[in-house]
């Protein structure tokens, strides 16, 4: 099978933009959605989309109320900051780092044995009030989580708090 990725090469504003625009186009056509879910680089993508002003800078609006980031990576934080600044160069009230103060509720599912765990923790810190749940696996969501009562209670509690 061919390898799938959200962007080719290093994460830059130019490589990140088409992925963000594509997902926003899907959301605009098929949404709205209560929340966005992303795994690995997809978690980075939903975090970048959720940065204050990002959706508007890309010609859309942030219509979701929360995000779930599973085994997220923080490889494109700088690219997201650069993209937002370049898309809105005349705005003086933009934060210096858009990825430092995401104001949506977020759930971060992180594997204790994940080689990407430091990046998952870094991504969680970009949100104002992240909820972080660990599991004993790696860069995966193991099937054993279906039977893990404590894990299920944490996830269920987060989702219950997001209801209107």
């Amino acid at each position: 099978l061919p390898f799938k990725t959200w962007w080719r090469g290093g994460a830059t504003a130019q490589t990140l933009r088409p992925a963000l625009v594509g997902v926003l186009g899907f959301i605009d056509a098929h949404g709205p959605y209560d929340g966005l879910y992303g795994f690995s680089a997809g978690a980075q993508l939903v975090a970048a989309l959720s940065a204050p002003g990002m959706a508007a800078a890309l010609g859309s609006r942030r219509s979701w109320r929360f995000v779930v980031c599973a085994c997220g990576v923080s490889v494109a934080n700088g690219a997201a900051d650069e993209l937002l600044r370049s898309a809105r160069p005349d705005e003086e009230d933009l934060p210096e780092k858009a990825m430092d103060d995401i104001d949506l509720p977020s759930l971060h599912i992180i594997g204790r044995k994940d080689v990407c765990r430091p990046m998952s923790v870094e991504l969680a810190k970009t949100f104002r009030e992240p909820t972080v749940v660990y599991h004993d696996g790696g860069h995966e969501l193991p099937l054993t989580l279906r039977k893990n009562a404590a894990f299920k209670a944490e996830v269920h509690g987060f989702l219950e708090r997001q209801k209107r």
Side-chain angles (χ1 to χ4, degrees), residues 78-154:
D81 290 333
E82 178 188 340
L83 177 60
L84 186 56
R85 282 191 308 275
S86 67
R88 300 170 71 178
D90 297 331
E91 292 197 32
E92 296 176 13
D93 63 339
L94 288 178
E96 183 178 327
K97 291 190 170 193
M99 295 296 296
D100 275 355
D101 193 27
I102 301 173
D103 57 347
L104 288 181
S106 61
L107 173 65
H108 302 266
I109 303 169
I110 302 173
R112 286 188 180 92
K113 297 175 186 168
D114 189 349
V115 297
C116 298
R117 185 178 63 186
M119 288 191 291
S120 294
V121 171
E122 183 179 337
L123 189 64
K125 289 178 181 178
T126 65
F127 288 81
R128 281 187 194 165
E129 296 182 33
T131 298
V132 179
V133 180
Y134 287 91
H135 63 78
D136 291 328
H139 198 69
E140 62 188 343
L141 294 177
L143 286 176
T144 56
L145 291 176
R146 293 183 309 159
K147 296 180 181 179
N148 183 322
F151 177 83
K152 288 170 58 174
E154 287 278 350

Side-chain angles (χ1 to χ4, degrees), residues 22-61:
V23 172
L24 283 172
F26 187 91
I27 292 168
D28 291 344
H30 302 286
Y33 297 100
D34 293 330
L36 300 183
Y37 169 88
F39 179 87
S40 193
Q44 170 74 83
L45 191 82
V46 300
L49 283 173
S50 299
M54 184 65 78
L58 298 172
S60 185
R61 67 183 182 87

Side-chain angles (χ1 to χ4, degrees), residues 5-22 45 75-76 78-80 82-83 86:
T5 184
W6 285 105
W7 56 83
R8 298 258 181 239
T12 67
Q14 292 144 332
T15 60
L16 184 61
R17 182 184 178 86
L20 296 176
V21 169
L45 191 82
V75 296
E82 178 188 340
L83 177 60
S86 67

